Amino acid sequence: MRQFEDEVSERIKANACDEGLKASAARFVTESIQSRYSYNFTWLGRPIIQYPQDMIAMQEIIWQIKPDLIIETGIAHGGSLIMNASMLALLDYCEAVEAGTALNPRVTRRRVLGIDIDIRSHNRTAIEAHSMTHRIDMIQGSSIEPEIVDRVHAIARGYKKVLVCLDSNHTHEHVLAELQAYAPLVSKGSYCVVFDTIIEDLPNVMFTVRPWGKGNNPKTAVWEYLKSHSEFQIDKSIESKLLITVAPDGYLKRMR
Ligand SMILES: C[S@@+](CC[C@H](N)C(=O)[O-])C[C@H]1O[C@@H](n2cnc3c(N)ncnc32)[C@H](O)[C@@H]1O
């Protein structure tokens, strides 16, 4: 296993310097965003607006960190909520198997908290009808409203290991405010994952109908936030591994 891990690590380092491979991946990302590739997938039946590579990264992070609370902004159809809830269910399952104890699926120590400004009624109904619903809480409102931020902080107080994912409004101002509100909740060693940082690397013509674009997006917010928050570092090893990701510079690890 040790030798296998060393080989993986060497390969990831080599891929990070492979200009041909990186150019092919960048081209795929640009063209696939234009073709709305990220809207093609579901997780346990719910549409999830993510790239499969980033979903795998989340699985690896969740297994490594074993959070008891995942906070995510941006629910949409609920796919990422259900994905994260199902990963937490697996953690509880594995823990019960290792401890040799019976698993009660209704006892859900690990939970997901989603925040969205507009939880459409058909999405809420579908999420609430899903078998993962008993480990999901949802709050409707803007993720940067002080009252919503206070509610999230109050909930987070009951948990020991917190992971945060930001995937709502992608303007610089909004994501910076989300980082200021929620990154402090991230536990040491855990992550704040900021999605759609890729906007900075794409041609502006792709976002003519959006309020975000080059110079005004999640990546510029991350850069700004990190200037005064050295407790976080960009985990470059994740994007070097994925090659295809919508979150370059977006996997932020809390170091202290
Ligand atoms: C990209 S989608 C989220 C996708 C979801 N995380 C997934 O992986 O399937 C963005 C969501 O952010 C929500 N949103 C937009 N502005 C927001 C705000 N100010 N606060 C909270 N949510 C917001 C939208 O309503 C939309 O549902």
Side-chain angles (χ1 to χ4, degrees):
M1 192 62 194
R2 183 63 201 267
Q3 189 191 341
F4 174 79
E5 283 169 358
D6 288 346
E7 281 169 18
V8 171
S9 169
E10 285 310 309
R11 190 164 48 243
I12 291 169
K13 274 190 213 143
N15 287 351
C17 306
D18 184 332
E19 295 308 324
L21 184 59
K22 286 199 304 183
S24 306
R27 186 165 163 223
F28 173 77
V29 169
T30 304
E31 295 195 5
S32 59
I33 287 175
Q34 267 162 330
S35 76
R36 294 172 65 79
Y37 171 81
S38 65
Y39 293 85
N40 290 348
F41 306 100
T42 57
W43 189 276
L44 301 185
R46 289 308 298 156
I48 179 165
I49 311 168
Q50 301 279 337
Y51 271 55
Q53 288 78 2
D54 289 310
M55 297 181 212
I56 287 290
M58 285 305 298
Q59 179 273 140
E60 292 194 359
I61 288 173
I62 292 168
W63 181 254
Q64 184 205 332
I65 303 302
K66 299 191 171 42
D68 54 4
L69 177 67
I70 300 178
I71 298 168
E72 48 174 298
T73 66
I75 295 175
H77 302 271
S80 57
L81 268 188
I82 301 288
M83 177 180 78
N84 289 329
S86 69
M87 304 274 191
L88 296 184
L90 281 173
L91 289 184
D92 280 348
Y93 171 81
C94 292
E95 207 171 75
V97 169
E98 278 160 28
T101 54
L103 182 75
N104 179 349
R106 300 272 157 201
V107 178
T108 55
R109 190 172 74 76
R110 296 187 161 92
R111 299 187 67 80
V112 182
L113 172 60
I115 304 122
D116 199 295
I117 198 166
D118 181 16
I119 307 174
R120 306 259 165 99
S121 63
H122 59 277
N123 288 328
R124 182 185 282 279
T125 302
I127 294 164
E128 288 176 350
H130 200 282
S131 50
M132 283 295 146
T133 194
H134 51 278
R135 56 175 78 232
I136 292 173
D137 297 299
M138 290 182 276
I139 297 178
Q140 178 161 292
S142 175
S143 53
I144 59 169
E145 274 293 316
E147 187 233 320
I148 302 286
V149 175
D150 287 349
R151 278 174 69 188
V152 174
H153 276 248
I155 291 169
R157 257 176 236 128
Y159 294 86
K160 290 195 175 71
K161 218 178 264 181
V162 179
L163 174 70
V164 170
C165 304
L166 305 180
D167 189 20
S168 68
N169 177 327
H170 301 314
T171 63
H172 174 98
E173 194 186 10
H174 187 85
V175 178
L176 185 57
E178 284 190 329
L179 282 164
Q180 280 153 353
Y182 302 118
L185 296 176
V186 174
S187 312
K188 185 179 159 200
S190 183
Y191 285 79
C192 181
V193 182
V194 184
F195 288 101
D196 284 309
T197 46
I198 190 71
I199 294 166
E200 177 66 11
D201 308 331
L202 298 170
N204 243 345
V205 287
M206 288 172 65
F207 305 105
T208 47
V209 294
R210 298 291 204 172
W212 47 80
K214 233 182 229 312
N216 172 17
N217 57 66
K219 193 187 266 188
T220 58
V222 164
W223 290 342
E224 183 71 32
Y225 185 76
L226 293 184
K227 281 182 196 164
S228 53
H229 289 276
S230 58
E231 71 273 26
F232 283 95
Q233 273 179 19
I234 296 169
D235 188 341
K236 282 277 184 188
S237 72
I238 297 180
E239 63 194 77
S240 301
K241 175 196 296 214
L242 299 180
L243 292 165
I244 290 166
T245 173
V246 298
D249 283 7
Y251 287 94
L252 307 183
K253 184 169 187 170
R254 182 159 195 167
M255 310 306 290
R256 54 184 163 76

